[in-house]
Amino acid sequence: MADDLQIVKGDKTEQYQNLIPQIKSLLFGEPDLIANLANITAALKEQFGWFWVGFYIVKEDELVLGPFQGPVACTRIKKGRGVCGSSWDKAATLIVPDVEKFPGHIACSSISKSEIVLPVLKNGIVWGVLDVDSELLNQFDQIDQFYLEQILALIEL
Ligand code: SME
């Protein structure tokens, strides 16, 4: 059984730097992918208190909802649709300071105001995405991108 997560206050960088070694320990020696994705979402949600944190996984021509923390969400997203589908299509991280200004944004919840979506790559091909949503505007930047990419690099697909 995992120990409790040690949560810190402080700036974003300190929070990520404290969290990442703990995520490493959680994943260490555990080959089950779903368990690991689930623990990553739980650790991020617990440290940052974001509204929604979760994975979507590429299945044929759609993203399908994977392990997440937060309210129920859209189950399937087509390639190129919304922020998640666009991140998949472009194989790029998208930072959206105001979701209402993103053409085609898919509102799983009207509470969500800003988001960051990062592709999860396997052999250079998008395997899925990590989507993080906040109920506040303008919550994500290059610091989140930098550290969330480090967390995604820990996943053995
Ligand atoms: N807003 C996302 C959809 C996923 S949910 O917010 C959980 C999008 O536009 O792709």
Side-chain angles (χ1 to χ4, degrees):
M1 165 141 178
D3 290 333
D4 286 348
L5 208 64
Q6 301 301 313
I7 301 299
V8 290
K9 300 207 162 84
D11 68 26
K12 210 151 56 173
T13 299
E14 288 167 332
Q15 293 186 56
Y16 279 113
Q17 287 178 350
N18 178 67
L19 188 64
I20 289 174
Q22 297 186 76
I23 290 180
K24 265 188 202 160
S25 310
L26 277 169
L27 303 193
F28 182 75
E30 176 50 67
D32 191 280
L33 180 59
I34 297 299
N36 289 335
L37 298 181
N39 257 342
I40 289 171
T41 63
L44 288 169
K45 173 91 170 149
E46 210 177 331
Q47 173 62 59
F48 292 100
W50 289 317
F51 177 66
W52 198 91
V53 184
F55 289 94
Y56 281 91
I57 299 165
V58 172
K59 295 193 177 165
E60 298 173 2
D61 64 339
E62 292 178 316
L63 289 167
V64 181
L65 185 61
F68 72 96
Q69 294 275 314
V72 293
C74 317
T75 311
R76 290 171 186 271
I77 297 173
K78 294 273 185 207
K79 195 170 190 179
R81 294 281 322 280
V83 187
C84 292
S86 300
S87 172
W88 174 19
D89 197 27
K90 296 181 165 74
T93 295
L94 297 179
I95 295 171
V96 181
D98 181 349
V99 296
E100 286 184 16
K101 297 198 173 123
F102 187 92
H105 169 252
I106 300 166
C108 292
S109 164
S110 60
I111 295 170
S112 175
K113 296 284 184 286
S114 60
E115 69 182 278
I116 182 170
V117 179
L118 303 99
V120 182
L121 300 172
K122 181 175 183 177
N123 301 327
I125 293 170
V126 179
W127 174 88
V129 301
L130 172 67
D131 179 13
V132 183
D133 292 18
S134 169
E135 65 272 63
L136 303 172
L137 289 167
N138 202 18
Q139 286 302 291
F140 304 103
D141 56 23
Q142 274 68 30
I143 296 174
D144 298 285
Q145 176 172 357
F146 178 75
Y147 287 108
L148 290 172
E149 280 173 358
Q150 286 191 15
I151 292 169
L152 295 180
L154 300 174
I155 302 169
E156 286 186 21
L157 294 170

